[in-house]
Amino acid sequence: MTNSFKEISVQEINQVMQRSHTAFKAFQKKSIEEKSIFLDTIANEIEALGDTLIQKASEETNLPIARLTGERARTTGQLRMFANMLREGSWVEATIDTAIPERTPIPKPDLRKMLIPLGPVVVFGASNFPFAYSTAGGDTASALAAGCSVVVKAHPAHAQTSEMVYQAIKKAISSCNMPDDVFQHVHGTSFESGKALVQAEHTAAVGFTGSTAGGKALVDYSTQRKNPIPVFSEMGSINPVIFLPETLQNSSADLATQYANSITLGMGQFCTNPGLMLAVESPALHTFLDHLSNRIKEVQPAKMLHAGIHAAYEKKSHDALEQDGVTVVEQVSTPINDIEARPIIAQVSGQTFLANPILHEEVFGPYSLMVSCKDEQELITVLKSVSGQLTTTVMGTVHDLENHAQLVDLLPSMAGRILFNGAPTGVEVCASMVHGGPYPATTDSRFTAVGINAVKRWVRPVCYQNWPESLLPLALQNNNPLNIWRMVDNEWKK
Amino acid sequence: MTNSFKEISVQEINQVMQRSHTAFKAFQKKSIEEKSIFLDTIANEIEALGDTLIQKASEETNLPIARLTGERARTTGQLRMFANMLREGSWVEATIDTAIPERTPIPKPDLRKMLIPLGPVVVFGASNFPFAYSTAGGDTASALAAGCSVVVKAHPAHAQTSEMVYQAIKKAISSCNMPDDVFQHVHGTSFESGKALVQAEHTAAVGFTGSTAGGKALVDYSTQRKNPIPVFSEMGSINPVIFLPETLQNSSADLATQYANSITLGMGQFCTNPGLMLAVESPALHTFLDHLSNRIKEVQPAKMLHAGIHAAYEKKSHDALEQDGVTVVEQVSTPINDIEARPIIAQVSGQTFLANPILHEEVFGPYSLMVSCKDEQELITVLKSVSGQLTTTVMGTVHDLENHAQLVDLLPSMAGRILFNGAPTGVEVCASMVHGGPYPATTDSRFTAVGINAVKRWVRPVCYQNWPESLLPLALQNNNPLNIWRMVDNEWKK
């Protein structure tokens, strides 16, 4: 992947991170309202780019205008959500234990705790979300909200889109009188630039969305540091969907329509794409697959994000279909041009799936593999053999769930989000969303990349003991000048 | 270090962790009240061991009876604190976003999030807290409270004490009808057993308090796993204390008494022992050091925890004193027996300290190094050269703080807890305590090992999307049957 932007050198990266560190310190002096307005202004400036931005993104990513328009709304919505989170203020987890000077044998000191930002954060733009997980996406918005400075490495596949969003952020920096380097934007296509960004002295944390190999490499770079830093890599996920018998019997046509849409939405280029389906062998399962086949046939091939992703899809789907015991349920046969993808549904027995690790790998694109199991016990064994996931879905009646208690019990241990009768491809941006999951879905299952709690990736607690009131941060002062929810002497108070 | 207990084999460790995993699943079915009573009962059973436990611990660790009696109270207090945390219930961070079916273009699903336990936790008992950081210490209590099963590797230096506490826990397991293997206790002195405990398939997280080398090794073992797991190692800290000029001028005698006590408390065998003092060169600093010297002289040498720690103290303090430019302010000259330690105060210039990394290393024991700086700027440079810390303390008047704003600004970035006019050696067990800090004080500065938030090390969030009400965990059900604080549609409610 190449573009016209100048590749950054390792030496320049160290200078960028040094400037980011200086800007971080200045940014910490800004008030909460100044930071909130800054986030709102970035959203406004992105909107002010108008159709030009959407058109450029569509040219670079092959994503349709409607999808990109929706994604832009999500991106500006996220920025405004974090601005509101700052104003609401309880996210800092202010906790106060007041002194008991008369306690024996030792007086109890005054102790006050809150979350503070880690420092400069490096964000690697994702290829599949040119707005929402890229330059001004969720990682950037949450890190700025935390009070961190940010350095984004543009994804080379949509570098011009990234550059346009960067210009919007620069305008917001200028009009809000923020430190110039609170946000910086670099272009790099080499492993060396990624490594240097993770290993620069002043880098305090890293956010990444992409391949398993890429995500693991960033973690390795961090562990080689003198002081390892948190690396939040969101990597592969095949997002298992379990179809239970009663619902298959009752609703196979509706299920097929719903899943044909979910599997092929955005040509399957979502982290939450359902790449694995599971069911117990039955006539109803065959009926479902017939319906699914009919629905998939109707899907028009469309261009993938870029040539690299297309080539990987061709290779990985080809490899999967070559495995012993794998049969094709449907493969769209329309002639394809250029970097278009053909949706594929494949099928394999539980026993064969269990024996072949290749079938457990993600095929990024409009591909899904149905594992037909001989009975519920085999289905449970298959489910246990699958590694950590972003999502796991169960399609069933309430009666189905009650009849499969052992299986349902397993689900929370498998994934960050578990769904009942839905498709995992929609990710709601809200406080209760978890976009994250056990390794290797992400490198740290304790954090989400979507929703207000994404801010918790970029902070750590600090405790002030007997600190003079006048020098305490506002969130910890006695009279609660920010009027935020706090835990005071073990009680929630405002 | 040897004792009469049988060393566990690698094969046995895998069986222990398999049993822990089975017990974990059974433990998850227990109610909140059952778990609370279990924690309370462990506390009761430890108290029921009476003086026999204290005497055994004193024999094994050389710690005085009064100290151990206080530490036992802290340990049982911690267990009861976590029992109460379970009853209060807000720690699960229950968050609910209700559905908006009529939303366009896409209906909003019902999303509900809470924290769930990670799985079996391995705890390595610490040598310096035979109760509070050992068998039934903070790691065990917080992990059980989280809903995890626990496997403790007894510290070999107090294996019999550990075994007695294990018997108390076993009684509580039996009388509370808990799964037998929800807590298991193993003895191991080899690197191999530590490695196997971290790398066993079913181990989900690790807690460790001890040396930097030991803590880093456990992290390395985890990164070698197919699925790396969280390792919380609390390692070395030299806990800098800055003496500002006005307070040195006003209160040198009082400061000397306070710090002579803090440096030699428990023969300096605390993670928060002030091993580094910093001040700008002045006549008042000399007066302070004269007073400190007089106070230190009065301290009686006492036995250290075990021969290994004593030998390390002898070697590391000797090495430090051998460095060019280091002078001895006071070294207790009383003849010592066996494994007794002599308190030492040393002094060095800022310039020499900056140039010699050996002087930055922790000398675990009653040792503290005063770095006398030529001016405030050098003091700031010295402070910036010091790695991540558990605590940093500033001794000063409020006027001093105002006069040293640049220095005071630095403090939150250095440590998990910052103190004003106190000694870091007391660690209060409460909600606002942070016992943790930037690397290498701990491997993850985002978590505390003391206080109720220690529970957050052993959990991760899971989101339930459109889940049937009857199958939701109690914490997420509509009518709030646990009557806990929750965030519902972005508002805190009970």
Side-chain angles (χ1 to χ4, degrees):
Chain A
M1 241 173 284
T2 56
N3 56 58
S4 57
F5 296 102
K6 187 173 164 290
E7 176 92 9
I8 192 162
S9 71
V10 169
Q11 193 190 352
E12 284 165 330
I13 284 171
N14 286 323
Q15 291 160 0
V16 162
M17 296 315 302
Q18 171 67 59
R19 288 199 299 271
S20 191
H21 180 68
T22 305
F24 165 63
K25 288 187 288 184
F27 191 44
Q28 287 189 281
K29 307 281 182 193
K30 298 292 178 181
S31 72
I32 288 168
E33 190 52 26
E34 286 172 313
K35 287 181 194 160
S36 305
I37 291 172
F38 176 45
L39 292 172
D40 284 337
T41 308
I42 296 174
N44 297 343
E45 291 292 352
I46 289 171
E47 286 166 350
L49 293 170
D51 291 347
T52 323
L53 177 67
I54 302 279
Q55 278 152 12
K56 177 55 71 186
S58 186
E59 274 172 35
E60 286 192 305
T61 64
N62 304 312
L63 292 170
I65 300 294
R67 145 75 195 270
L68 287 168
T69 306
E71 191 187 323
R72 181 182 58 185
R74 171 173 163 184
T75 307
T76 53
Q78 283 177 163
L79 286 157
R80 293 184 177 116
M81 174 187 75
F82 283 112
N84 290 334
M85 179 198 79
L86 291 183
R87 294 183 177 108
E88 193 272 339
S90 67
W91 72 278
V92 299
E93 299 178 8
T95 310
I96 296 175
D97 287 279
T98 52
I100 309 178
E102 66 278 13
R103 191 183 65 177
T104 54
I106 307 163
K108 183 179 178 189
D110 181 280
L111 291 153
R112 295 166 191 243
K113 177 178 77 170
M114 68 178 289
L115 298 174
I116 64 166
L118 291 175
V121 169
V122 168
V123 174
F124 289 84
S127 68
N128 61 340
F129 279 87
F131 302 141
Y133 278 98
S134 208
T135 324
D139 289 348
T140 295
S142 58
L144 289 175
C148 296
S149 53
V150 173
V151 175
V152 163
K153 189 172 94 55
H155 196 284
H158 51 76
Q160 294 180 65
T161 303
S162 195
E163 191 72 27
M164 285 179 77
V165 174
Y166 170 47
Q167 295 305 324
I169 300 174
K170 269 175 83 167
K171 281 193 183 178
I173 288 173
S174 170
S175 68
C176 296
N177 196 25
M178 286 290 155
D180 279 348
D181 296 316
V182 73
F183 182 92
Q184 295 177 84
H185 188 243
V186 304
H187 296 275
T189 56
S190 69
F191 286 120
E192 287 69 27
S193 61
K195 183 175 177 179
L197 282 163
V198 176
Q199 297 193 334
E201 179 192 350
H202 288 294
T203 304
V206 175
F208 168 86
T209 304
S211 70
T212 306
K216 286 183 179 175
L218 298 186
V219 171
D220 289 345
Y221 299 152
S222 167
T223 55
Q224 292 159 10
R225 289 175 61 106
K226 196 181 73 179
N227 61 334
I229 55 174
V231 174
F232 299 95
S233 295
E234 191 221 289
M235 306 184 287
S237 196
I238 53 176
N239 303 293
V241 180
I242 304 147
F243 295 90
L244 292 178
E246 199 172 81
T247 205
L248 269 185
Q249 186 68 48
N250 297 349
S251 324
S252 57
D254 290 349
L255 293 174
T257 302
Q258 184 179 17
Y259 270 85
N261 288 339
S262 177
I263 292 163
T264 61
L265 186 71
M267 281 295 108
Q269 299 168 111
F270 288 104
C271 322
T272 53
N273 190 54
L276 189 72
M277 300 182 281
L278 306 165
V280 172
E281 189 62 59
S282 75
L285 174 58
H286 288 265
T287 309
F288 166 70
L289 287 173
D290 286 344
H291 286 300
L292 186 63
S293 177
N294 290 332
R295 292 291 81 73
I296 290 285
K297 268 186 218 161
E298 298 161 9
V299 178
Q300 290 300 314
K303 280 188 186 174
M304 295 191 79
L305 289 159
H306 58 76
I309 279 187
H310 180 259
Y313 178 63
E314 291 283 312
K315 178 175 188 322
K316 293 212 81 169
S317 60
H318 181 264
D319 287 353
L321 298 183
E322 286 277 292
Q323 302 302 306
D324 279 348
V326 175
T327 56
V328 174
V329 174
E330 188 60 56
Q331 175 162 27
V332 172
S333 56
T334 323
I336 56 168
N337 299 307
D338 191 23
I339 58 169
E340 290 178 345
R342 280 197 190 93
I344 299 169
I345 305 293
Q347 187 175 13
V348 73
S349 73
Q351 201 182 353
T352 306
F353 180 82
L354 285 167
N356 189 346
I358 292 174
L359 298 175
H360 293 235
E361 289 175 17
E362 184 178 18
V363 178
F364 192 77
Y367 167 94
S368 193
L369 174 67
M370 169 62 80
V371 182
S372 42
C373 301
K374 64 175 192 242
D375 53 25
E376 188 192 351
Q377 218 41 58
E378 187 176 81
L379 196 154
I380 288 173
T381 309
V382 166
L383 209 53
K384 285 183 174 172
S385 78
V386 170
S387 59
Q389 299 291 325
L390 290 172
T391 71
T392 299
T393 303
V394 58
M395 305 300 291
T397 61
V398 172
H399 187 233
D400 272 328
L401 291 193
E402 287 162 0
N403 276 350
H404 295 80
Q406 193 192 345
L407 185 153
V408 172
D409 262 11
L410 262 183
L411 302 180
S413 68
M414 291 195 55
R417 178 164 56 114
I418 58 178
L419 298 91
F420 179 57
N421 287 343
T425 26
V427 180
E428 188 73 26
V429 181
C430 65
S432 54
M433 175 50 61
V434 177
H435 191 68
Y439 195 94
T442 66
T443 47
D444 196 335
S445 68
R446 294 165 300 168
F447 296 88
T448 176
V450 174
I452 59 172
N453 282 296
V455 74
K456 300 290 170 79
R457 295 176 296 170
W458 320 118
V459 292
R460 68 175 177 86
V462 67
C463 171
Y464 297 80
Q465 182 166 328
N466 288 337
W467 214 250
E469 165 85 5
S470 63
L471 296 175
L472 278 171
L474 294 176
L476 298 179
Q477 290 181 4
N478 279 328
N479 58 352
N480 196 7
L482 302 177
N483 190 31
I484 60 176
W485 281 101
R486 313 193 289 188
M487 187 179 254
V488 181
D489 292 328
N490 295 314
E491 276 185 40
W492 287 103
K493 281 189 186 163
K494 193 164 180 171
Chain B
M1 240 172 284
T2 56
N3 56 58
S4 58
F5 295 101
K6 188 175 164 288
E7 176 93 8
I8 193 161
S9 71
V10 169
Q11 193 190 352
E12 285 166 329
I13 283 171
N14 286 322
Q15 290 159 1
V16 162
M17 296 315 302
Q18 170 68 58
R19 288 200 299 271
S20 191
H21 180 67
T22 305
F24 165 63
K25 286 186 289 182
F27 191 44
Q28 286 189 280
K29 308 281 182 192
K30 297 292 178 182
S31 72
I32 289 169
E33 189 52 26
E34 286 172 314
K35 287 181 194 160
S36 305
I37 291 173
F38 176 44
L39 293 172
D40 283 338
T41 308
I42 296 173
N44 297 342
E45 291 292 351
I46 289 170
E47 285 166 352
L49 292 170
D51 290 347
T52 322
L53 176 67
I54 302 280
Q55 278 152 12
K56 176 55 71 185
S58 187
E59 276 171 34
E60 286 192 306
T61 64
N62 304 312
L63 292 170
I65 300 294
R67 144 75 194 270
L68 288 167
T69 306
E71 191 186 324
R72 180 181 60 186
R74 171 173 163 184
T75 306
T76 54
Q78 283 178 162
L79 286 156
R80 294 184 176 115
M81 174 187 75
F82 283 112
N84 290 334
M85 178 197 79
L86 291 183
R87 293 184 178 106
E88 193 271 338
S90 67
W91 72 278
V92 298
E93 300 179 9
T95 310
I96 296 175
D97 288 278
T98 51
I100 309 178
E102 66 278 13
R103 191 182 67 177
T104 55
I106 306 164
K108 184 179 178 189
D110 182 279
L111 291 153
R112 293 164 191 246
K113 176 179 78 172
M114 67 178 289
L115 299 173
I116 64 166
L118 291 176
V121 169
V122 168
V123 173
F124 291 83
S127 68
N128 60 340
F129 279 87
F131 302 142
Y133 278 98
S134 208
T135 324
D139 289 348
T140 295
S142 58
L144 288 175
C148 296
S149 53
V150 173
V151 174
V152 162
K153 189 172 93 58
H155 197 285
H158 51 76
Q160 294 181 66
T161 303
S162 194
E163 191 71 27
M164 285 178 77
V165 175
Y166 170 48
Q167 295 305 323
I169 299 174
K170 268 175 83 168
K171 280 193 184 179
I173 287 173
S174 171
S175 68
C176 297
N177 195 27
M178 286 289 156
D180 279 349
D181 296 316
V182 72
F183 182 92
Q184 296 177 84
H185 188 244
V186 303
H187 295 276
T189 56
S190 68
F191 286 121
E192 287 69 27
S193 60
K195 183 175 177 179
L197 282 163
V198 176
Q199 297 193 334
E201 179 192 348
H202 288 293
T203 304
V206 175
F208 169 86
T209 306
S211 70
T212 306
K216 286 183 178 174
L218 298 187
V219 172
D220 289 344
Y221 299 152
S222 167
T223 54
Q224 292 158 12
R225 288 176 62 106
K226 194 181 73 176
N227 60 334
I229 54 174
V231 174
F232 300 95
S233 295
E234 191 221 289
M235 306 185 286
S237 197
I238 53 177
N239 302 295
V241 179
I242 304 146
F243 294 90
L244 292 178
E246 198 172 82
T247 204
L248 268 184
Q249 186 68 46
N250 296 349
S251 324
S252 59
D254 290 349
L255 291 175
T257 303
Q258 183 179 17
Y259 270 85
N261 288 338
S262 177
I263 292 162
T264 61
L265 186 71
M267 281 294 110
Q269 299 167 113
F270 288 104
C271 323
T272 52
N273 190 55
L276 189 72
M277 299 181 282
L278 307 165
V280 172
E281 188 63 60
S282 75
L285 174 58
H286 288 265
T287 310
F288 166 71
L289 287 173
D290 287 344
H291 285 300
L292 185 63
S293 176
N294 289 333
R295 292 291 82 73
I296 289 286
K297 267 186 220 160
E298 298 162 8
V299 178
Q300 288 301 312
K303 281 189 187 174
M304 295 190 79
L305 287 160
H306 58 75
I309 280 186
H310 179 259
Y313 178 63
E314 290 283 311
K315 179 175 187 322
K316 292 212 82 168
S317 60
H318 181 264
D319 288 353
L321 298 183
E322 286 277 291
Q323 302 303 306
D324 280 349
V326 174
T327 56
V328 174
V329 174
E330 189 60 57
Q331 175 162 27
V332 172
S333 56
T334 323
I336 57 168
N337 299 307
D338 192 22
I339 59 168
E340 289 178 346
R342 281 196 188 92
I344 300 168
I345 305 293
Q347 187 175 13
V348 73
S349 74
Q351 201 182 352
T352 306
F353 180 82
L354 284 168
N356 189 345
I358 292 173
L359 298 175
H360 293 235
E361 288 175 19
E362 184 178 16
V363 178
F364 192 75
Y367 168 93
S368 194
L369 175 67
M370 171 61 82
V371 181
S372 43
C373 302
K374 63 175 193 240
D375 54 26
E376 189 193 351
Q377 218 42 57
E378 186 175 80
L379 197 154
I380 288 173
T381 308
V382 166
L383 209 53
K384 285 183 175 174
S385 78
V386 169
S387 59
Q389 299 291 326
L390 290 172
T391 72
T392 299
T393 303
V394 58
M395 305 299 291
T397 61
V398 173
H399 187 233
D400 271 328
L401 291 194
E402 289 162 0
N403 276 350
H404 295 78
Q406 193 192 345
L407 185 153
V408 172
D409 261 10
L410 263 183
L411 302 180
S413 68
M414 290 195 56
R417 178 164 56 114
I418 57 178
L419 299 90
F420 180 57
N421 287 344
T425 27
V427 179
E428 189 72 27
V429 181
C430 66
S432 54
M433 175 50 61
V434 178
H435 190 68
Y439 196 94
T442 66
T443 47
D444 195 335
S445 68
R446 294 166 300 169
F447 295 88
T448 175
V450 173
I452 57 170
N453 282 298
V455 74
K456 300 289 170 81
R457 296 176 296 170
W458 320 118
V459 291
R460 68 175 178 88
V462 67
C463 170
Y464 296 79
Q465 181 166 328
N466 288 338
W467 213 250
E469 164 85 6
S470 63
L471 296 175
L472 279 171
L474 294 176
L476 298 179
Q477 291 181 4
N478 280 328
N479 58 352
N480 196 6
L482 301 176
N483 191 30
I484 60 176
W485 281 101
R486 312 193 290 187
M487 187 178 255
V488 181
D489 293 327
N490 295 315
E491 278 186 38
W492 286 102
K493 282 189 185 164
K494 194 165 178 169

